[in-house]
């Protein structure tokens, strides 16, 4: 099946591809890639940047069967790259297994999420890409190539930005299933957050702090506690009180698309994501921006942004602050540094947002803020060169895997392969 034109999930980005083809088998992907001069893979369209776009051919793998392969001895699961995280999570939970982390949306595709370094939350939790132990990729001649953790180039291939080929199968680490409770706290004083950011973000397995930047106290924060961790859940913490009634919608979304937040324990897949798989996520009509800064400098980064609060607030739905553990994946936003993740969900006001982004990026520049590859930003190639010390090796690896440039697009040419 093909389309003449398509939009991203929020309707804020139109793809410029000559055609979008929904592949239904890996063999079909192979023949499409082999026959195309230029081609890109498109996932569940949750990106706000033009990272997946091309003026040539787009192929989706979201219609290919998951074909789950569970290896309990190795503690891994292999699955189709276009499968949504929520679908894989259900398969695993039904068999007593779990992933280490989930993004706020269970609707996103596995291959798309890992290619862009998409993350989830938790001081001790690596981004979703850190669970990858093997990738099966259709390369430019249409052949399938598998690369495993520990093999040369693996750490460059995982957060691959689509530069190496079409990821059709992914092997992920798994662990025994666990229960999580989610509690909402309100009224956290700003000075507590700024003086003890680590204290706030270590209150649970995964913590999300929400703000509009101009409120007198923090709107609320969500604490996701693993029931097997022995962590005590308190009703009050340094001025913030647990809301035992409801979470309430934070922005223009309805309560019934959120996962249970009243402190009732439930399976990991129904607590770690903010949103339910069987509902439309978030607000939909929105723009998203996100930056990773070193967690040790997180409070100073927040202070710098608070100064811009009056400019940010009129165009903002909500900001979410989360964390991620350091990793060794070359183009991961958390590469070799524990990170604070500063996320903006904007109203669909592209002109105002694009005017604000350079000011936000200037405020965050002292902290070497790395933008999310799939979110809107104005960071240039020279800055990325400085932020990612392994970029030269990434380019060399891409040239080896894709010598004809079949998977290149304007995004990669503009930001990664400059000067070629």
């Amino acid at each position: 099946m093909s389309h003449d034109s398509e939009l991203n999930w929020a309707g804020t980005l139109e793809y410029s591809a000559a055609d979008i083809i929904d592949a239904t088998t890996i063999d079909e992907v192979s023949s499409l890639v082999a026959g195309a001069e230029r081609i890109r893979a498109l996932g569940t369209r949750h990106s706000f940047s033009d990272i997946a776009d091309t003026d040539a051919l787009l192929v989706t793998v979201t219609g290919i069967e998951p074909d789950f392969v569970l290896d309990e001895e190795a503690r891994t699961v292999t699955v189709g790259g276009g499968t949504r995280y929520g679908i894989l999570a259900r398969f695993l939970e039904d068999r007593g297994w779990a992933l280490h982390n989930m993004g706020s949306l269970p609707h996103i595709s596995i291959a798309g999420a890992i290619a862009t370094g998409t993350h989830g939350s938790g001081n001790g939790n690596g981004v979703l890409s850190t669970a990858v132990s093997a990738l099966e990729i259709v390369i430019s001649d249409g052949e399938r190539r598998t690369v495993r953790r520990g093999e040369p180039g693996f750490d460059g291939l995982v957060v691959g930005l689509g530069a190496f080929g079409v990821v059709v199968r992914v092997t992920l680490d798994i662990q025994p299933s666990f229960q999580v409770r989610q509690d909402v706290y309100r009224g956290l004083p700003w000075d507590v957050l700024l003086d003890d950011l680590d204290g706030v973000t270590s209150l649970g397995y995964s913590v999300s702090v929400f703000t509009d930047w101009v409120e007198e106290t923090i709107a609320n924060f969500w604490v996701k506690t693993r029931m097997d961790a022995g962590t005590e859940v308190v009703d009050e913490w340094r001025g913030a009180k647990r809301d035992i009634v409801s979470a309430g919608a934070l922005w223009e979304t309805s309560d019934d698309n959120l996962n249970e937040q009243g402190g009732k324990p439930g399976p990991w897949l129904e607590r770690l994501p903010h949103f339910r798989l069987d509902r439309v996520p978030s607000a939909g009509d929105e723009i998203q921006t996100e930056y990773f800064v070193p967690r040790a400098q997180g409070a100073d980064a927040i202070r710098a942004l608070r100064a811009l609060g009056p400019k940010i607030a009129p165009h903002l739905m909500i900001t979410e602050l989360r964390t991620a553990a350091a990793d060794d994946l070359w183009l991961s936003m958390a590469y070799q540094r524990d990170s604070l993740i500063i996320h903006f969900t904007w109203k669909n006001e592209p002109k105002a947002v694009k005017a604000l982004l350079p000011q936000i990026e200037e405020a965050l520049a002292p902290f070497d803020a790395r933008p999310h590859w799939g979110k809107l930003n104005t960071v240039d190639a020279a800055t990325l060169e400085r932020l990612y010390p392994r970029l030269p090796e990434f380019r060399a690896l891409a040239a080896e895997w894709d010598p004809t440039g079949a998977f290149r697009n304007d995004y990669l040419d503009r930001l990664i392969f400059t000067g070629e």
Side-chain angles (χ1 to χ4, degrees):
M1 184 172 71
S2 68
H3 312 261
D4 292 326
S5 84
E6 272 286 1
L7 300 171
N8 71 343
W9 74 289
T12 52
L13 175 75
E14 183 170 6
Y15 298 106
S16 54
D19 202 0
I20 301 176
I21 297 178
D22 297 322
T24 55
T25 65
I26 295 175
D27 285 345
E28 187 181 354
V29 174
S30 291
S31 62
L32 285 168
V33 170
E37 194 174 324
R38 298 217 349 156
I39 188 168
R40 290 284 286 173
L42 181 63
T44 45
R45 302 172 172 83
H46 279 84
S47 287
F48 291 80
S49 72
D50 58 340
I51 186 167
D53 201 12
T54 178
D55 57 4
L57 180 63
L58 278 173
V59 58
T60 76
V61 294
T62 53
I64 299 176
E65 287 297 314
D67 189 17
F68 303 108
V69 178
L70 180 65
D71 186 335
E72 298 193 345
E73 193 173 329
R75 288 195 171 197
T76 63
V77 65
T78 303
V79 62
T83 306
R84 295 170 188 262
Y85 266 96
I87 302 297
L88 170 61
R90 185 76 264 165
F91 169 85
L92 290 174
E93 171 62 18
D94 288 348
R95 288 155 185 81
W97 293 95
L99 300 168
H100 82 289
N101 208 352
M102 292 274 280
S104 60
L105 305 181
H107 311 71
I108 56 178
S109 69
I110 296 164
I114 63 175
T116 53
T118 298
H119 47 87
S121 183
N123 287 0
N125 299 329
V127 300
L128 302 180
S129 316
T130 60
V132 176
S133 69
L135 295 171
E136 186 175 327
I137 306 173
V138 175
I139 57 176
S140 56
D141 61 3
E143 294 299 308
R144 290 152 68 168
R145 187 171 167 185
T146 299
V147 61
R148 293 179 174 83
R149 184 185 284 137
E151 293 179 356
F154 177 83
D155 285 346
L157 287 155
V158 178
V159 183
L161 313 184
F164 302 100
V166 181
V167 174
V168 288
R169 303 279 294 162
V170 180
T171 303
L172 299 170
D173 299 333
I174 57 174
Q175 59 182 267
S177 177
F178 54 92
Q179 295 269 304
V180 176
R181 62 177 284 172
Q182 186 169 204
D183 294 278
V184 176
Y185 292 80
R186 301 190 189 278
L188 181 71
W190 271 104
D191 59 359
V192 173
L193 179 73
L194 295 170
D195 293 344
D196 191 12
L197 179 63
D198 282 354
V200 177
T201 59
S202 64
L203 283 170
Y205 183 72
S206 168
V207 174
S208 293
V209 178
F210 295 93
T211 181
D212 66 8
W213 297 105
V214 294
E215 65 216 343
E216 290 185 19
T217 60
I218 301 296
N220 57 47
F221 63 96
W222 302 354
V223 178
K224 302 173 195 252
T225 306
R226 274 186 73 141
M227 302 307 291
D228 58 2
T231 309
E232 185 186 359
V233 176
V234 296
D235 288 335
E236 189 172 349
W237 189 81
R238 301 186 63 180
K241 291 184 170 57
R242 189 167 71 90
D243 185 336
I244 57 172
V245 181
S246 71
L250 284 171
W251 58 102
E252 293 164 26
T253 181
S254 61
D255 277 4
D256 74 350
N257 68 4
L258 295 170
N259 274 318
E260 161 69 42
Q261 297 173 307
K264 179 183 173 187
W268 59 280
L269 73 166
E270 293 173 7
R271 297 295 182 272
L272 294 182
H274 297 340
F275 295 95
R276 291 171 52 168
L277 180 63
D278 60 350
R279 298 285 194 278
V280 176
S282 194
D285 186 20
E286 65 194 61
I287 298 170
Q288 293 182 13
T289 299
E290 191 165 64
Y291 304 93
F292 281 52
V293 299
R295 202 172 89 213
Q297 296 176 281
D300 286 337
I302 293 169
R303 287 186 183 98
L305 289 175
R306 274 193 87 196
L308 292 174
K311 291 184 177 181
I312 291 171
H315 310 291
L316 185 72
M317 290 187 188
I318 200 72
T319 278
E320 180 177 6
L321 305 172
R322 287 185 279 182
T323 54
D327 62 57
D328 290 316
L329 304 175
W330 297 354
L331 294 195
S332 165
M333 289 86 70
Y335 177 72
Q336 293 195 339
R337 63 188 202 191
D338 292 329
S339 299
L340 173 73
I341 307 161
I342 305 169
H343 174 95
F344 301 85
T345 297
W346 302 105
K347 297 171 185 173
N348 188 4
E349 298 172 359
K351 192 174 176 183
V353 171
K354 283 173 183 171
L356 268 171
L357 293 184
Q359 299 175 66
I360 289 171
E361 288 161 5
E362 185 180 2
L364 292 177
F367 313 105
D368 289 337
R370 293 173 178 156
H372 189 300
W373 297 106
K375 308 283 171 77
L376 199 65
N377 66 82
T378 64
V379 175
D380 62 19
T383 304
L384 292 174
E385 190 82 30
R386 186 173 55 77
L387 294 174
Y388 289 97
R390 308 297 286 272
L391 254 184
E393 290 158 273
F394 182 88
R395 290 191 196 101
L397 192 64
E400 174 196 320
W401 276 68
D402 180 25
T404 64
F407 302 105
R408 298 269 285 269
N409 68 347
D410 181 65
Y411 180 98
L412 293 176
D413 290 343
R414 186 174 75 239
L415 294 173
I416 304 296
F417 301 103
T418 50
E420 291 186 16

